[in-house]
Amino acid sequence: MTFPPLREELRGLAPYGAPQLSLEQAPVQLNTNENPYGPSEACVADIAAAAAEAARGLNRYPDREHVALREGLADYLSRDVADGQDPITPEQVWAANGSNEVMLQLLQAFGGPGRTVVSFAPTYSMYPEYARDTHSRFVAGRRAEDFTLDVDAALELVRTERPSLVLLPSPNNPTGTALEPEVVGVLCEALGDDGLLVVDEAYGEFRRTGTPSAIELLPSYPNLVVTRTMSKAFAGAGLRLGYLAADPRICDAIRVVRLPYHLSAVSQAVALAALRHHEELLGKVDELRHERDETVAWLRGRGLDVADSDANFALFGTFPDRHAVWQRLLDQGVLVREVGPEGWLRVSIGTPEEMTAFREALDAVLDESGSK
Ligand SMILES: *Cc1c(COP(=O)(O)O)cnc(C)c1O
């Protein structure tokens, strides 16, 4: 056996991750869908005070059930309930270190050997990795040509594969496509007691006005799980805090597989402090949406194909050699993401200045290649 004695199926695999370059190497970073606006000094001071208070008790283990944080998150999520729907309760909420950890815990509890996880490509590239890491079988259906979900094809796949989990981001990454609300109900009913539908709303706050969150459907479907994160719209990617809303029995089941004290006292305190500033932290969402629509229109004006986006990024293409385009943008200091179907690139929406730099750099690439 070659050293180290790694699991056979993991040999030679590269760890997941977008290239992480310094600001010197790439001054315009538009590759991981972060919110480009940092917190105000008032918010920083409040977070620092909360961290200091947590530090006074660091000799003790943190609250395993992170009750105060779940209360704060339940209040926050209750903004998205329908008229007449009960508010979200803390028992319906569960949090972990990023929604990636929430998702892994869901697969640890509900996936596993002999069980199947279904998603629809192109989609978030971490899903197959959670499946691999939990020894779950992964089946990828396909999205339609315009990246929407074909409900009949999705239903067919659910009926033949009988998955324990269906993972559907809305808006989808890397395409930006939002899910038609009817799809959620149809799939939840098809899954019944045997499977969970996980709607990954990492970009939920960017959805168009009038598009409901799947949070509204929680009272109708006990097998529906909605995941969220503080990493994107909430401008807290460095915080590592993700969460879900679901039937309390689902939250209870996750407690069996979570590591003891998985959320540090500092994470809990800092996340709660950030939640108190949610209006400020989400304050730039409208501007980012506007910038997104401008970017999409500009790209189309340059003759490119762009997927309709409800998120803070746009998938554009297609290029015979996308890596060359990616590299030429980077040569000019603009880092985008080489992800998604062959020929496409994804750009995150930054500040107006960053988007100007992106447009200028892409203009140069398109002009020099003489294409479009
Ligand atoms: C960015 C992203 C997440 C967020 O991951 P965190 O671990 O919360 O930072 C989750 N799902 C999708 C589809 C994403 O693009």
Side-chain angles (χ1 to χ4, degrees):
M1 179 114 86
T2 43
F3 189 84
L6 188 62
R7 273 163 53 187
E8 202 67 55
E9 69 278 19
L10 299 184
R11 294 237 175 103
L13 294 185
Y16 169 88
Q20 219 170 15
L21 303 182
S22 70
L23 279 173
E24 246 160 58
Q25 295 166 299
V28 181
Q29 308 232 348
L30 302 173
N31 69 329
T32 49
N33 302 340
E34 294 152 333
N35 188 323
Y37 299 101
S40 69
E41 282 310 313
C43 179
V44 169
D46 203 25
I47 286 175
E53 188 52 37
R56 293 187 184 101
L58 281 186
N59 54 313
R60 302 290 179 193
Y61 281 112
D63 174 9
R64 231 174 5 223
E65 306 295 338
H66 50 289
V67 174
L69 178 58
R70 286 161 83 182
E71 285 168 359
L73 290 167
D75 279 349
Y76 172 69
L77 283 173
S78 296
R79 306 173 337 147
D80 285 341
V81 301
D83 288 342
Q85 181 183 345
D86 286 338
I88 303 293
T89 65
E91 294 73 32
Q92 285 177 281
V93 175
W94 178 259
N97 298 282
S99 57
N100 270 275
E101 187 178 47
V102 172
M103 202 66 84
L104 181 65
Q105 290 173 337
L106 280 167
L107 266 78
Q108 286 175 320
F110 300 101
R115 292 188 166 212
T116 299
V117 177
V118 157
S119 194
F120 296 87
T123 193
Y124 193 38
S125 40
M126 279 307 295
Y127 296 156
E129 303 205 8
Y130 310 137
R132 176 198 71 201
D133 295 346
T134 58
H135 305 272
S136 316
R137 182 170 159 265
F138 188 77
V139 174
R142 298 286 319 164
R143 284 172 175 264
E145 200 66 10
D146 63 356
F147 304 131
T148 57
L149 193 73
D150 177 335
V151 188
D152 293 331
L155 266 179
E156 182 59 28
L157 196 65
V158 163
R159 293 206 179 101
T160 49
E161 298 293 348
R162 306 299 321 157
S164 306
L165 290 135
V166 175
L167 311 180
L168 271 178
S170 182
N172 185 39
N173 179 11
T175 63
T177 325
L179 210 55
E180 301 292 331
E182 304 80 65
V183 178
V184 174
V186 169
L187 287 179
C188 280
E189 268 164 29
L191 287 161
D193 285 346
D194 301 332
L196 303 183
L197 173 63
V198 184
V199 180
D200 181 347
E201 291 193 350
Y203 303 96
E205 289 98 337
F206 291 105
R207 70 190 184 275
R208 267 172 265 205
T209 7
T211 308
S213 161
I215 295 282
E216 293 195 11
L217 299 171
L218 285 171
S220 312
Y221 304 105
N223 60 344
L224 173 62
V225 179
V226 184
T227 61
R228 291 278 186 97
T229 179
M230 291 177 92
S231 296
K232 307 287 164 56
F234 215 92
L239 191 54
R240 306 309 303 130
L241 204 290
Y243 52 101
L244 63 72
D247 187 289
R249 288 168 293 181
I250 293 176
C251 299
D252 231 32
I254 294 174
R255 294 167 63 234
V256 178
V257 297
R258 58 110 181 90
L259 294 173
Y261 315 108
H262 67 293
L263 264 184
S264 84
V266 175
S267 293
Q268 294 185 40
V270 167
L272 251 179
L275 269 178
R276 284 196 291 272
H277 291 267
H278 69 263
E279 276 182 31
E280 174 202 317
L281 292 168
L282 291 167
K284 298 290 187 182
V285 164
D286 281 344
E287 259 175 73
L288 289 165
R289 279 204 204 112
H290 175 74
E291 197 65 40
R292 169 198 67 209
D293 293 340
E294 301 266 288
T295 303
V296 169
W298 180 84
L299 288 163
R300 287 186 177 146
R302 286 267 9 197
L304 293 161
D305 286 333
V306 190
D308 285 333
S309 176
D310 265 294
N312 64 335
F313 54 81
L315 189 74
F316 64 100
T318 55
F319 304 102
D321 182 355
R322 72 164 164 187
H323 183 71
V325 177
W326 178 87
Q327 184 63 55
R328 284 290 296 114
L329 291 173
L330 182 56
D331 294 344
Q332 300 172 81
V334 178
L335 179 61
V336 300
R337 189 77 182 273
E338 202 179 338
V339 71
E342 201 42 58
W344 296 78
L345 292 170
R346 191 192 70 193
V347 62
S348 310
I349 304 305
T351 62
E353 295 72 33
E354 288 172 322
M355 298 322 286
T356 301
F358 164 71
R359 287 192 294 268
E360 286 175 3
L362 186 59
D363 257 339
V365 178
L366 294 174
D367 290 345
E368 86 197 14
S369 68
S371 65
K372 308 276 175 180

